[in-house]
Amino acid sequence: MAEQKTTCSSCGREIRLVTAERRHGMCVPCHRNAAKPLEELLADQVFERIDAVIGPATDPKAAVQDLQALPPGYALCYAFQHVHAEILNGGISQLYSNSAWSLILQAEEAARQAGVSRVSNLLREIVFYYHQRNRSKHKRSLAEDYFASLPSNWDKSLKQLDDDFFCMEQDANSVILRLCCDNQELFTDA
């Protein structure tokens, strides 16, 4: 006997009747999306648009350049997502060694715009760590007072910075969600 079918009430895709009964008339992906909080849905939309502009496996510098055609929030989300992923994957030294290092100033701005000052301050400290060692690669991009908020006796090791980042991982995970939800003007086309 053939299985009974119906269509998803959200997207119209053909699904099994038993799935529709279990998922309030929806297919599994639509049901999963319906359960997502608003900020996750907004972030998903932002990254769908980013992917549509930059395509797969794009060099970070080229991707940010392509994203300049969009409102600034898109490049900020892209930068933060890459910097965050590199640190989680291999620590700050891996971030510094890879092309995502070019995005750290924008990632810091993303955290600042999102109101996640702990993460913003730590990213600034990471830049300072390499700046002190004449290895920042961002000297020309830094405002004269970029490090003014850091104490004059600042002296953290790379391990301390890594540990600090992992201690505030929950805050870091909230940056993109807060940026998308609380700063929608950054995503509005002019």
Side-chain angles (χ1 to χ4, degrees), residues 122-161:
L122 183 60
L123 292 175
R124 198 171 285 239
E125 287 182 278
I126 292 167
V127 174
F128 188 63
Y129 173 85
Y130 288 103
H131 183 78
Q132 279 186 312
R133 287 152 182 77
N134 292 319
R135 297 172 46 207
S136 83
K137 303 178 190 176
H138 290 293
K139 287 181 182 180
R140 293 184 188 138
S141 304
L142 297 173
E144 196 171 304
D145 63 344
Y146 189 77
F147 302 117
S149 62
L150 299 179
S152 59
N153 62 346
W154 188 95
D155 187 29
K156 288 187 180 180
S157 68
L158 198 53
K159 182 182 179 337
Q160 287 173 304
L161 293 169

